[in-house]
Amino acid sequence: MIALYLLLTIPLAGMALLALNGHKPWAGRLNNWLNAATLAAALVLALIVLRAGTLISDDRYWLVDAFNVYLIALTALVGLTTGIFSGPYMEHEKEIGRLNPRRLRLYYSMYQGFMLAMYLILVTNNMGILWVAMEGATLATVLLVSLYRTPESVEAAWKYFILCGVGIAQALFGTILLYYAATQVLGAGEAALEWATLYTHAGEFDPAVLKIAFVFLLVGYGTKVGLVPMHSWLPDAHSEGPTPMSAILSGLLLNDALYAIVRSKMIVTQAVPGPLPGYLMMGFGLVSFLVAVLFLHRQRDIKRLFSYSSIEHMGTMTFAFGIGTPLATFAALMHMTVHSLTKSAIFVTVGHAAQIAGTQRMDKIRGLIATQPQVGWGLLVGTLAIAGFPPFGVFVSEFLVLVATMESYPWLTLPLLLGLAIAFGGLFRHIQPIVFGRRPEGQQPVAANMMPVFVHLGLVLLLGLTIPGVLADWFDQAAQLISGGMPQ
Amino acid sequence: MATLESLYGQAVFLLAALVLFTSFVMLAQSRVTTLVNLFALQGLLLTGTTALVAIVQNSPHLLVSATLTLGLKVILIPLLLHWLILRMGLHRATDEVRRPLQLLLGAASLVVFSYWITLPVVQLSELETRNIIAASTATLLLGMLLMISHRQAISQVVGFMAMENALFFSAVVSTHGMPMVVELGVAFDVMVAAVIFGVFFFQIRESIDSLDVDALSRLTESEESES
């Protein structure tokens, strides 16, 4: 229990501390220590839950079970490594004059604020608080997207703000409808918004209301996941915001938004007869996947390229969660993990690559291996991993998604395979000249901390070669929790 | 007692109709100052509804949310928006609606659509809520339409906040308000959002020299090469 409270209080304190001291030279280190402390708390929490099973606090505000505990650990890990990367990165941005001390303070403070919102989304037991935390995460990241104050970044932030604001309003309406359906059975009060209570009573709720609620929840939180056609904020925000933010947006925020959808689905599928919620998710997921792989080919900006790749992978996960069999859910959970690790590693290398070349335009970034082999190889290996090459973990999870699809909806494997091939072509067409091309005159290496990249890619490789027993059990438990007891 | 109940039901209907009506007027409104005033009026209607439900249904915690709504949506946010309009010299600015007839027809069909999708809810609930859910869904969708059809950043903010109003309205009337923790959280988010909106107005004006968001069009998916 203490670990849980630490998980929330450390970022809260960090937000306040860094709001006052974020411009000092040691702010980056303080940020790292804070993240390391939360990671420790998260690991302790994970151990407790692993031993004792589902943890619901006495006041019923917090809930940690097999599904969210590994996401908490993942969030803490990516938060720490991205923080480590952002120290030297932000120093460089300050040197070239894109940042001033005030904005640096804003950056560090909002970084902790964002982490706080992420943990709150994951540990809360209350669907209303979940919404509040999601909106809080939007507000924190909006400020980060416009950090550089260029016209493009202001535009990207405004679009993000408006689109996600509208989206999240739909999600609140869905939550209200859910609460409405629950009060008919449970009576008014906080219990009718508590996820654990809703989950046990879901079968008694009115299916018609829950159906409408789920549509609103899916569209609302789906906007944050970046599902097509509500995706248009995502490439803009990723390409114009600072790179560490792209890493945590892709690696964490999208996951957590999908987490909210899956939590809602777990309630709704019990009440709604028939496969409607699953079909809705499969449809949105597949369309997002296919649209994103086609857009990969048209990109000119390296960060936009990888943000479309994020849409592609989130689409795959939504699709897999939509299928809903234990195998598909297992695959989706694993895909969530490996995608977070790989994508945040890629954004770290992309950030360095853009600093080396002084631009984000792909036709200007050339010869990375010649200039700075670590960055070049990091980008190449990361791209190999995200494209689903064996032996990386993404290959395994995508393979599992394909197997699960073949079991339930065999004819849908065709568009999936086709999409994977197109995505592969789209990524390598752009990355090959960037990595191996001729080195432009006078290109200098930059100070880079590649440790996060190696750690992440190493973990992804490990997950591809062998899934440790503990983790496999864990995924299994979570998959049973999510799809168990559900009529297939 | 029965007459009192039906009186209460009719009062809530009337307020719902008025909220929906203000949304229509906002949609056709081209002057930003009037738009902000209409938004404040909608907030006032919402406060009235909340207070009414609080008294009739005997749920005192709704009085707190009524006070919150009054403070935030009737006083604070409209004042902030008026201050921004004055600071930016926008009080004469108009936000011309390009095809008012089609827009209002579209809005009317959205209302019909809302009644259609909330049809299943009607079978479930007691008398006074059913029309309300339809009306608040319609207000929500009209808020979205307002954001799409208008070009001034301020109008978009008003549309956004109008959507929040619709959400509060449906929560108050159909479930006698969300639990207090959630309402406080939502109110906090709305307040922070309003402040950030204000900050953004300055940033947008600095970058495009106006608040006409149609000019925010650098980031597109088109192929043409930039300089």
Side-chain angles (χ1 to χ4, degrees), chain B residues 42-76:
Chain B
Q42 201 179 44
L44 199 63
L45 288 170
L46 189 60
T47 314
T49 318
T50 317
L52 183 70
V53 175
I55 293 162
V56 176
Q57 301 290 343
N58 203 9
S59 25
H61 78 276
L62 275 184
L63 283 176
V64 181
S65 28
T67 323
L68 266 178
T69 315
L70 185 71
L72 264 178
K73 292 192 173 146
V74 185
I75 299 170
L76 205 66

Side-chain angles (χ1 to χ4, degrees), chain A residues 140-289:
Chain A
T141 39
V142 158
L143 288 174
L144 288 180
V145 172
S146 69
L147 193 69
Y148 292 140
R149 302 285 154 85
T150 58
E152 287 87 1
S153 70
V154 171
E155 179 186 339
W158 180 256
K159 285 182 177 166
Y160 174 41
F161 198 3
I162 290 292
L163 195 59
C164 280
V166 171
I168 207 113
Q170 315 286 333
L172 183 58
F173 193 62
T175 311
I176 291 172
L177 284 176
L178 187 67
Y179 180 61
Y180 173 66
T183 45
Q184 305 291 321
V185 179
L186 302 167
E190 266 166 44
L193 264 181
E194 273 160 15
W195 185 86
T197 318
L198 291 174
Y199 185 63
T200 38
H201 291 277
E204 304 156 34
F205 298 160
D206 183 73
V209 181
L210 280 200
K211 229 184 267 179
I212 307 173
F214 185 70
V215 171
F216 276 101
L217 285 166
L218 178 64
V219 170
Y221 289 131
T223 311
K224 291 225 77 141
V225 180
L227 295 179
V228 174
M230 297 88 74
H231 69 288
S232 63
W233 63 272
L234 196 147
D236 293 349
H238 278 59
S239 64
E240 300 307 327
T243 309
M245 198 219 61
S246 313
I248 47 175
L249 269 187
S250 264
L252 304 178
L253 181 68
L254 305 187
N255 273 355
D256 289 3
L258 187 57
Y259 164 85
I261 294 181
V262 176
R263 282 269 185 220
S264 321
K265 186 187 175 234
M266 286 163 78
I267 297 170
V268 173
T269 36
Q270 289 185 58
V272 178
L276 177 84
Y279 280 172
L280 275 175
M281 283 178 78
M282 281 167 66
F284 268 110
L286 198 62
V287 169
S288 310
F289 173 75

Side-chain angles (χ1 to χ4, degrees), chain A residues 14-266:
Chain A
M15 203 170 129
L17 266 176
L18 285 165
L20 299 172
N21 299 309
H23 58 290
K24 307 253 172 73
W26 41 266
R29 260 171 294 150
L30 176 63
N31 192 30
N32 291 344
W33 283 114
L34 286 165
N35 288 326
T38 17
L39 178 62
L43 290 178
V44 171
L45 188 67
L47 274 178
I48 295 172
V49 173
L50 193 64
R51 275 218 196 111
T54 305
L55 182 84
I56 299 179
S57 67
D58 295 333
D59 50 10
R60 296 186 71 78
Y61 274 125
W62 318 111
L63 162 98
V64 186
D65 61 13
F67 179 24
N68 58 9
V69 75
Y70 90 93
L71 278 174
I72 294 171
L74 183 72
T75 302
L77 177 71
V78 175
L80 172 65
T81 48
T82 311
I84 291 175
F85 151 68
S86 75
Y89 182 89
M90 284 297 156
E91 276 306 306
H92 183 93
E93 298 292 278
K94 212 169 105 185
E95 271 162 32
I96 61 172
R98 286 179 82 179
L99 283 178
N100 57 27
R102 242 185 89 210
R103 292 194 203 149
L104 206 62
R105 215 159 61 196
L106 178 75
Y107 169 77
Y108 280 121
S109 170
M110 282 302 123
Y111 190 95
Q112 289 297 326
F114 174 79
M115 294 311 290
L116 174 68
M118 291 291 102
Y119 296 124
L120 202 56
I121 290 170
L122 290 172
V123 297
T124 182
N125 185 20
N126 185 312
M127 295 296 283
I129 304 283
L130 176 75
W131 183 89
V132 171
M134 194 73 81
E135 173 80 357
T138 313
L139 298 177
T141 39
V142 158
L143 288 174
L144 288 180
V145 172
S146 69
L147 193 69
Y148 292 140
R149 302 285 154 85
T150 58
E152 287 87 1
S153 70
V154 171
E155 179 186 339
W158 180 256
K159 285 182 177 166
Y160 174 41
F161 198 3
I162 290 292
L163 195 59
C164 280
V166 171
I168 207 113
Q170 315 286 333
L172 183 58
F173 193 62
T175 311
I176 291 172
L177 284 176
L178 187 67
Y179 180 61
Y180 173 66
T183 45
Q184 305 291 321
V185 179
L186 302 167
E190 266 166 44
L193 264 181
E194 273 160 15
W195 185 86
T197 318
L198 291 174
Y199 185 63
T200 38
H201 291 277
E204 304 156 34
F205 298 160
D206 183 73
V209 181
L210 280 200
K211 229 184 267 179
I212 307 173
F214 185 70
V215 171
F216 276 101
L217 285 166
L218 178 64
V219 170
Y221 289 131
T223 311
K224 291 225 77 141
V225 180
L227 295 179
V228 174
M230 297 88 74
H231 69 288
S232 63
W233 63 272
L234 196 147
D236 293 349
H238 278 59
S239 64
E240 300 307 327
T243 309
M245 198 219 61
S246 313
I248 47 175
L249 269 187
S250 264
L252 304 178
L253 181 68
L254 305 187
N255 273 355
D256 289 3
L258 187 57
Y259 164 85
I261 294 181
V262 176
R263 282 269 185 220
S264 321
K265 186 187 175 234
M266 286 163 78

Side-chain angles (χ1 to χ4, degrees), chain A residues 204-428:
Chain A
E204 304 156 34
F205 298 160
D206 183 73
V209 181
L210 280 200
K211 229 184 267 179
I212 307 173
F214 185 70
V215 171
F216 276 101
L217 285 166
L218 178 64
V219 170
Y221 289 131
T223 311
K224 291 225 77 141
V225 180
L227 295 179
V228 174
M230 297 88 74
H231 69 288
S232 63
W233 63 272
L234 196 147
D236 293 349
H238 278 59
S239 64
E240 300 307 327
T243 309
M245 198 219 61
S246 313
I248 47 175
L249 269 187
S250 264
L252 304 178
L253 181 68
L254 305 187
N255 273 355
D256 289 3
L258 187 57
Y259 164 85
I261 294 181
V262 176
R263 282 269 185 220
S264 321
K265 186 187 175 234
M266 286 163 78
I267 297 170
V268 173
T269 36
Q270 289 185 58
V272 178
L276 177 84
Y279 280 172
L280 275 175
M281 283 178 78
M282 281 167 66
F284 268 110
L286 198 62
V287 169
S288 310
F289 173 75
L290 292 174
V291 169
V293 296
L294 291 176
F295 270 111
L296 277 179
H297 282 263
R298 303 182 41 168
Q299 299 311 312
R300 295 165 159 274
D301 182 305
I302 189 162
K303 281 164 86 180
R304 284 185 90 88
L305 177 79
F306 284 109
S307 56
Y308 272 100
S309 156
S310 287
I311 299 178
E312 175 210 334
H313 288 282
M314 294 322 286
T316 316
M317 286 172 227
T318 312
F319 176 77
F321 276 124
I323 295 177
T325 55
L327 177 67
T329 311
F330 185 99
L333 290 171
M334 181 167 172
H335 200 68
M336 237 177 183
T337 317
V338 288
H339 172 255
S340 288
L341 291 171
T342 321
K343 194 45 72 59
S344 43
I346 287 179
F347 272 114
V348 170
T349 47
V350 162
H352 287 315
Q355 281 186 336
I356 291 171
T359 172
Q360 284 174 207
R361 288 191 48 144
M362 284 188 281
D363 49 2
K364 301 264 170 59
I365 312 176
R366 286 292 179 261
L368 281 184
I369 284 191
T371 314
Q372 199 167 359
Q374 281 191 336
V375 175
W377 283 110
L379 186 60
L380 186 67
V381 175
T383 313
L384 277 175
I386 206 74
F389 248 69
F392 290 101
V394 183
F395 168 75
V396 179
S397 57
E398 281 181 349
F399 186 76
L400 288 175
V401 172
L402 283 172
V403 172
T405 316
M406 220 165 321
E407 273 180 359
S408 312
Y409 305 93
W411 41 279
L412 283 181
T413 23
L414 198 68
L416 277 183
L417 277 174
L418 197 69
L420 287 177
I422 299 174
F424 174 77
L427 283 173
F428 275 88

Side-chain angles (χ1 to χ4, degrees), chain B residues 198-219:
Chain B
V199 173
F200 262 96
F201 286 158
F202 289 101
Q203 290 187 10
I204 292 177
R205 198 177 57 163
E206 212 174 284
S207 68
I208 61 171
D209 232 16
S210 80
L211 277 178
D212 189 336
V213 286
D214 262 9
L216 288 176
S217 54
R218 285 171 191 246
L219 301 168

Side-chain angles (χ1 to χ4, degrees), chain B residues 152-214:
Chain B
Q152 285 279 352
I154 293 198
S155 320
Q156 292 197 334
V157 173
V158 171
F160 178 82
M161 297 287 172
M163 285 175 73
E164 295 268 320
N165 276 351
L167 292 170
F168 259 89
F169 195 86
S170 64
V172 164
V173 180
S174 64
T175 63
H176 304 165
M178 308 270 273
M180 207 59 226
V181 203
V182 179
E183 278 207 24
L184 284 176
V186 173
F188 176 73
D189 276 341
V190 169
M191 201 176 67
V192 176
V195 171
I196 295 181
F197 271 129
V199 173
F200 262 96
F201 286 158
F202 289 101
Q203 290 187 10
I204 292 177
R205 198 177 57 163
E206 212 174 284
S207 68
I208 61 171
D209 232 16
S210 80
L211 277 178
D212 189 336
V213 286
D214 262 9

Side-chain angles (χ1 to χ4, degrees), chain B:
Chain B
M1 199 60 208
T3 32
L4 199 67
E5 275 293 303
S6 79
L7 259 183
Y8 162 69
Q10 282 175 20
V12 172
F13 284 156
L14 179 67
L15 285 165
L18 284 175
V19 166
L20 189 58
F21 178 70
T22 37
S23 267
F24 265 98
V25 182
M26 275 155 91
L27 208 53
Q29 186 52 246
S30 57
R31 287 194 44 179
V32 281
T33 346
T34 322
L35 202 59
V36 175
N37 290 338
L38 281 168
F39 167 70
L41 176 67
Q42 201 179 44
L44 199 63
L45 288 170
L46 189 60
T47 314
T49 318
T50 317
L52 183 70
V53 175
I55 293 162
V56 176
Q57 301 290 343
N58 203 9
S59 25
H61 78 276
L62 275 184
L63 283 176
V64 181
S65 28
T67 323
L68 266 178
T69 315
L70 185 71
L72 264 178
K73 292 192 173 146
V74 185
I75 299 170
L76 205 66
I77 293 176
L79 271 184
L80 179 77
L81 287 173
H82 273 306
W83 178 77
L84 283 167
I85 288 171
L86 274 181
R87 265 297 292 273
M88 305 208 157
L90 282 173
H91 49 286
R92 297 233 165 271
T94 54
D95 189 354
E96 204 181 313
V97 182
R98 260 166 291 185
R99 293 168 185 274
L101 186 64
Q102 279 91 332
L103 187 69
L104 287 175
L105 279 177
S109 40
L110 277 181
V111 175
V112 177
F113 174 73
S114 309
Y115 269 89
W116 180 69
I117 59 163
T118 47
L119 214 55
V121 184
V122 176
Q123 281 131 19
L124 176 77
S125 74
E126 64 268 43
L127 186 76
E128 76 260 24
T129 27
R130 59 182 183 198
N131 278 298
I132 307 297
I133 294 226
S136 55
T137 314
T139 316
L140 182 77
L141 295 176
L142 290 191
M144 259 172 95
L145 192 64
L146 178 72
M147 291 175 77
I148 298 165
S149 58
H150 285 232
R151 291 177 302 161
Q152 285 279 352
I154 293 198
S155 320
Q156 292 197 334
V157 173
V158 171
F160 178 82
M161 297 287 172
M163 285 175 73
E164 295 268 320
N165 276 351
L167 292 170
F168 259 89
F169 195 86
S170 64
V172 164
V173 180
S174 64
T175 63
H176 304 165
M178 308 270 273
M180 207 59 226
V181 203
V182 179
E183 278 207 24
L184 284 176
V186 173
F188 176 73
D189 276 341
V190 169
M191 201 176 67
V192 176
V195 171
I196 295 181
F197 271 129
V199 173
F200 262 96
F201 286 158
F202 289 101
Q203 290 187 10
I204 292 177
R205 198 177 57 163
E206 212 174 284
S207 68
I208 61 171
D209 232 16
S210 80
L211 277 178
D212 189 336
V213 286
D214 262 9
L216 288 176
S217 54
R218 285 171 191 246
L219 301 168
T220 54
E221 222 36 85
S222 57
E223 283 270 15
E224 87 266 32
S225 56
E226 309 148 31
S227 54

